Amino acid sequence: MNKSIRSRALTGTALALAVSTVLTACGGEDSSTGAKAEGTASATPAAAVKDPLVASFDGGLYILDGQSLKLTKTIELSGFNRVNPAGDEDHVIVSTDTGFRVLNATGQALTGIEYKGAKPGHVVRHAGKTVLFTDGTGEVNVFDPADLSSGKKPEGRTYTSAEAHHGVAIELANGELLGTLGTEEKRTGALVLDENNKEITRNESCPGVHGEAAAQDEAVAVGCEDGVLIYQNGKFTKVDAPDDYGRIGNQAGSDVSPVLLGDYKTDPEAELERPTRISLIDTEKKKLRLVDLGTSYSFRSLARGPEAEALVLGTDGAIHVIDQNTGKTEKKIPAVGKWQEPLDWQQARPTLFVRDHTAYVSDPSKKALHAIDLATGKKITSVTLPESTNELSGVVAGH
């Protein structure tokens, strides 16, 4: 890590690093949710909140102050809900069984904005646009998150894939839209559309395509069961894994680095593989490097730091800080106790969410949440919550 990083208190999201990453990483092949309630807030008046965080729990959502970690609001929302940054300083996208709903995290209330559809899946932020992919219908919605401030559903672009599948899409700065190809039974690759939704090119040499991330100079990669597929400057390039089955399904990227961080699995028959290796994909050189961490991790363990360093929350309880160029572990930051990934991907496990120079780590076994300064490796503050949390996110602008 660059030694010039200064220790600092939590900063506002106006200074957030522009990081494009997999924002709804999925542990399983089905990202469906089971929320049943319309969403109601607790009777206690909400306190003011700065740079809010949002954590899901069995029965609702917690809104916390991003600086003090004080719990400022509880919103009742039954079922399994997922949370992702909407792309501005105020809102978070909540995935429920009826579709994507928009939460005004600063205002501490669910809005009336909803993108209805079964099995809401990946949420991607890139080049000033937010893209939602609804697995149950194949519908893609693209909008400017700044338009959410009006309280009305933004006018945006809509595209529907040829067949519904567990997919993902991203809009590039020039208006091109990259989306996955597949069916409910089989996913094969990706295609690119122009701004009028006319197909430009496609590549179907990416079996089991899953997840995406964008790197420096707008190199976009999607994961495959045998490597990654990179799209840049109008063409696809396949980077093969060193194993016949080398699955990369979740990735994290940074706009200031050509290297992507990915997971890496090699057992197609495993009920749940607990890998110890991660992948570093150089989108410039079109090469893939594997790094053994000496500990396993989960799909909620990957993030990028303020200097584009690769961050992985291991089951040893530490945040592994990895130089994205060399693969060397620069340091290990103690965060939580040792843990094991549960078999069910919807079950809670420690989760890593990074914003600015701060790593937020949940510890469901202790109903705890910690804020850690990445520069010093020291905990800034911690809080114990009424219930164990599952997913963890927050407002993030500047993408």
Side-chain angles (χ1 to χ4, degrees):
M1 180 185 294
N2 189 317
K3 302 301 182 183
S4 68
I5 298 177
R6 300 189 303 274
S7 173
R8 65 190 73 184
L10 306 185
T11 56
T13 55
L15 298 177
L17 175 70
V19 171
S20 176
T21 187
V22 178
L23 295 160
T24 305
C26 299
E29 294 303 305
D30 185 354
S31 62
S32 61
T33 58
K36 302 299 180 186
E38 283 300 309
T40 56
S42 60
T44 306
V49 60
K50 296 180 180 180
D51 305 327
L53 300 172
V54 179
S56 68
F57 66 94
D58 186 8
L61 305 169
Y62 289 136
I63 299 179
L64 304 102
D65 187 284
Q67 297 185 24
S68 67
L69 295 190
K70 178 181 179 182
L71 175 59
T72 62
K73 195 74 170 183
T74 301
I75 296 177
E76 296 175 5
L77 190 65
S78 65
F80 178 71
N81 302 295
R82 314 203 69 186
V83 289
N84 287 278
D88 67 353
E89 296 182 353
D90 297 312
H91 297 88
V92 166
I93 303 294
V94 183
S95 303
T96 74
D97 73 329
T98 61
F100 295 103
R101 298 185 65 179
V102 177
L103 170 70
N104 185 332
T106 303
Q108 303 181 72
L110 284 161
T111 70
I113 302 173
E114 182 176 12
Y115 293 83
K116 292 183 179 293
K119 301 180 181 179
H122 285 263
V123 179
V124 174
R125 299 172 296 112
H126 179 73
K129 296 293 177 65
T130 300
V131 184
L132 313 177
F133 194 104
T134 302
D135 294 347
T137 63
E139 184 175 275
V140 175
N141 284 281
V142 185
F143 61 88
D144 184 338
D147 294 339
L148 294 172
S149 61
S150 69
K152 298 179 180 180
K153 192 172 185 177
E155 292 185 9
R157 176 180 187 175
T158 301
Y159 163 74
T160 302
S161 59
E163 293 195 54
H165 64 283
H166 180 45
V168 67
I170 177 173
E171 185 175 278
L172 306 185
N174 63 2
E176 292 180 352
L177 182 71
L178 183 149
T180 51
L181 291 164
T183 67
E184 288 186 2
E185 292 77 31
K186 184 179 182 181
R187 303 192 300 273
T188 57
L191 84 169
V192 178
L193 309 173
D194 66 15
E195 57 187 6
N196 298 312
N197 289 349
K198 181 179 179 181
E199 183 174 331
I200 300 172
T201 185
R202 68 168 60 199
N203 185 297
E204 296 189 62
S205 63
C206 185
V209 60
H210 185 272
E212 65 72 46
Q216 191 175 49
D217 297 328
E218 212 167 34
V220 177
V222 291
C224 315
E225 291 177 349
D226 57 1
V228 293
L229 185 63
I230 299 171
Y231 179 77
Q232 187 177 29
N233 298 326
K235 70 175 185 177
F236 283 106
T237 303
K238 179 69 178 292
V239 179
D240 293 324
D243 299 281
D244 291 338
Y245 182 90
R247 183 179 190 268
I248 298 172
N250 300 289
Q251 310 98 42
S254 169
D255 290 345
V256 298
S257 171
V259 179
L260 298 172
L261 165 66
D263 57 2
Y264 193 74
K265 295 183 176 182
T266 57
D267 186 357
E269 306 301 325
E271 181 181 5
L272 173 68
E273 184 177 351
R274 295 185 172 97
T276 61
R277 290 185 294 176
I278 53 97
S279 55
L280 295 173
I281 304 111
D282 191 323
T283 61
E284 212 169 56
K285 299 177 181 177
K286 306 297 189 293
K287 291 184 177 180
L288 186 154
R289 176 204 303 265
L290 299 179
V291 177
D292 197 323
L293 300 180
T295 184
S296 63
Y297 56 91
S298 88
F299 70 99
R300 291 191 187 137
S301 293
L302 308 181
R304 300 302 287 268
E307 299 293 315
E309 61 272 35
L311 304 174
V312 182
L313 176 62
T315 55
D316 60 355
I319 300 172
H320 295 243
V321 182
I322 304 159
D323 185 304
Q324 78 275 13
N325 295 311
T326 65
K328 180 183 177 182
T329 298
E330 296 184 326
K331 61 181 176 180
K332 299 177 185 179
I333 301 174
V336 296
K338 291 183 179 180
W339 56 282
Q340 184 178 58
E341 182 179 5
L343 288 175
D344 183 352
W345 73 272
Q346 292 189 355
Q347 292 299 306
R349 80 286 309 280
T351 296
L352 174 65
F353 173 68
V354 175
R355 187 170 61 192
D356 301 326
H357 292 74
T358 304
Y360 300 93
V361 182
S362 64
D363 188 350
S365 67
K366 296 184 178 179
K367 301 181 180 179
L369 178 64
H370 309 286
I372 300 171
D373 188 313
L374 287 169
T376 65
K378 295 182 178 180
K379 288 183 180 177
I380 302 167
T381 187
S382 299
V383 66
T384 300
L385 298 166
E387 302 289 343
S388 294
T389 60
N390 196 338
E391 295 220 337
L392 175 65
S393 190
V395 299
V396 176
H399 68 297

